[in-house]
Amino acid sequence: ITGHSADARDGVDTVTLGFAMFFGGLLQIIAGISEVKRNNLFGMTAFCLYGGFWMSVGTIEIVTLLATDAPPPSNELATQAVLFMVSVFTYMLWTLTFKLNKTICMLFFLLGTTCMLLSFGVRNKNVDMVGGYFGIATSVNAFWLAYAELVNDVLGGGRQIIPLGKWNFNRQDRIAHQSPMEVPGDSALRDEMNRV
């Protein structure tokens, strides 16, 4: 993305450091804490996890930049372990998104795959490049989801103007939670008869 020459990539780390610390890190942690007020355990867990991850990445870069002598070496195995653990936890969250919508489900699948590929890509440049492309797809999906949810909330007042995709089996799940003696639609019919 930043170019193939050393000149084109010069200073990119400095720019992405602030972006990682504040946009990717601090803002996500604030968003995660605010999800507590909404009683949204999933949102709190996800935002705080990724906010903490990006602040960790930023801290590693700060330590490297502030090193007066030679920068401390980065352990490849430790880097792989961190990315692998984030990937596993992301896939765990992904299994829960089937109760939400298809867009957020795709986001967590792409994010888990990105972290997994980047983990293996620590020692393989080609896998790392594929992980980067998955990262771009993840970003596009995340920005689309954020935009769609804002439009639905602000312009739609909670009504879906931009559909995010509902799973068909969620409807069956709602039916399964009804009383075993209750026929689907029976309560609506009973209410209608009571009004008459």
Side-chain angles (χ1 to χ4, degrees):
I1 295 173
T2 56
H4 297 290
S5 68
D7 289 341
R9 290 192 302 270
D10 190 36
V12 170
D13 287 346
T14 310
V15 173
T16 55
L17 173 60
F19 197 73
M21 288 294 287
F22 293 96
F23 187 79
L26 184 62
L27 283 179
Q28 287 203 70
I29 289 175
I30 292 170
I33 292 169
S34 70
E35 289 298 311
V36 174
K37 285 184 78 172
R38 297 177 60 199
N39 201 24
N40 182 359
L41 181 62
F42 180 88
M44 182 207 73
T45 305
F47 279 122
C48 287
L49 168 73
Y50 302 116
F53 170 72
W54 280 111
M55 291 196 88
S56 301
V57 170
T59 303
I60 292 166
E61 290 296 321
I62 288 172
V63 169
T64 304
L65 288 172
L66 293 179
T68 51
D69 301 323
S74 178
N75 187 297
E76 288 185 346
L77 193 58
T79 304
Q80 277 187 307
V82 167
L83 289 166
F84 186 80
M85 285 187 295
V86 171
S87 174
V88 168
F89 199 82
T90 302
Y91 281 132
M92 288 167 57
L93 291 176
W94 172 63
T95 63
L96 303 176
T97 62
F98 289 93
K99 289 288 287 182
L100 303 173
N101 61 61
K102 292 179 180 178
T103 309
I104 200 165
C105 185
M106 178 62 75
L107 172 64
F108 276 84
F109 176 77
L110 287 171
L111 184 56
T113 306
T114 298
C115 291
M116 186 68 73
L117 288 168
L118 291 176
S119 171
F120 294 130
V122 169
R123 297 184 183 199
N124 186 316
K125 193 172 183 178
N126 292 329
V127 176
D128 189 54
M129 187 179 294
V130 173
Y133 286 118
F134 265 83
I136 293 169
T138 303
S139 297
V140 169
N141 188 299
F143 279 106
W144 172 253
L145 176 64
Y147 174 72
E149 287 190 343
L150 281 170
V151 166
N152 291 342
D153 189 52
V154 175
L155 300 180
R159 181 175 47 88
Q160 278 203 1
I161 294 174
I162 300 175
L164 298 172
K166 291 187 178 181
W167 296 103
N168 290 332
F169 54 80
N170 280 344
R171 191 176 84 71
Q172 297 298 327
D173 193 37
R174 285 195 299 273
I175 293 171
H177 283 95
Q178 290 175 339
S179 166
M181 298 300 291
E182 188 175 339
V183 177
D186 192 36
S187 59
L189 180 62
R190 196 179 321 113
D191 292 343
E192 185 66 32
M193 289 179 70
N194 288 337
R195 270 184 276 173
V196 173

